Amino acid sequence: MDNLKADDLKKLLNLNPHPEGGFYAETVRSSTTVTTDRNHTDTPVRSSGTSIFFLLTPDSPSAKFCKNISEIMHVWCGGSAQVHTFILPDGTRTEHVLGPRVDQGQSPQVLCPAGAWKTSRLLDETKYSLITEVVYPGWELCDFEMGRTDKLLELFPQHRDLIEKYSHRSDVSF
């Protein structure tokens, strides 16, 4: 993968622009289903898991805040490292570097807790980074929310600088 450019990966992996930023393609949606305790939709049944490729590039070096009800395992696949920042429901902020250099404190996988607001950015904005995101129970639009600046500032005013940089000013749809 080291010889490939970001545009090559977009083409070879059929990646499309993501509303958060970056590029993605769903690669797996398990046919096994689970019944959840989620009552905000018509059905609590979800795929047991889904997976996507997610690519950040120098042209699209960050992803805006979003939240999923499900846990999300991020797994580094290639290229440079990504910095993942989570704001937990209690306002606690954590930061993790997802990448191959465990000798430099990077981790090849990072778990985003269910219900956390997450954003990501390239550690080195001159290089791309390809990861896999595994969501369990599986990703459904009804369990997902894009981070709007005004809402996030109301919830977490202590993180103003981060929120203003990595959130949408208005509603964005998938």
Side-chain angles (χ1 to χ4, degrees):
M1 200 174 309
D2 290 337
N3 298 338
L4 297 174
K5 295 183 181 343
D7 286 339
D8 298 330
L9 288 171
K10 286 190 259 183
K11 188 180 297 183
L12 292 167
L13 299 174
N14 297 315
L15 304 178
N16 295 302
H18 196 295
E20 292 173 34
F23 303 87
Y24 81 108
E26 185 173 280
T27 56
V28 175
R29 180 169 290 273
S30 176
S31 59
T32 301
T33 59
V34 295
T35 301
T36 69
D37 60 358
R38 298 175 184 175
N39 57 11
H40 63 279
T41 63
D42 292 340
T43 178
V45 176
R46 300 287 184 274
S47 168
S48 63
T50 56
S51 180
I52 66 168
F53 282 127
F54 183 71
L55 177 72
L56 290 177
T57 68
D59 293 334
S60 188
S62 64
K64 303 288 187 189
F65 272 109
C66 66
K67 177 177 76 169
N68 198 306
I69 293 175
S70 298
E71 291 183 317
I72 305 171
M73 178 62 72
H74 299 86
V75 182
W76 178 81
C77 294
S80 183
Q82 292 185 16
V83 178
H84 287 245
T85 305
F86 307 140
I87 300 177
L88 305 179
D90 69 0
T92 303
R93 175 180 160 181
T94 62
E95 195 165 273
H96 312 270
V97 180
L98 180 65
R101 299 298 310 265
V102 294
D103 60 319
Q104 295 179 4
Q106 298 177 10
S107 177
Q109 64 182 27
V110 172
L111 178 67
C112 179
W117 289 96
K118 69 179 186 101
T119 184
S120 58
R121 63 179 171 79
L122 289 173
L123 184 62
D124 177 347
E125 290 192 5
T126 66
K127 300 178 180 174
Y128 73 80
S129 179
L130 178 67
I131 68 168
T132 292
E133 292 186 9
V134 182
V135 181
Y136 45 93
W139 190 94
E140 293 293 340
L141 183 58
C142 61
D143 297 334
F144 173 85
E145 184 178 353
M146 293 292 285
R148 229 176 70 181
T149 307
D150 59 344
K151 178 179 179 178
L152 290 173
L153 285 174
E154 187 176 305
L155 292 170
F156 311 110
Q158 69 273 32
H159 302 302
R160 175 174 291 281
D161 291 346
L162 184 70
I163 289 168
E164 287 182 344
K165 187 170 184 178
Y166 296 111
S167 62
H168 292 283
R169 304 274 180 252
S170 59
D171 287 330
V172 176
S173 59
F174 237 88

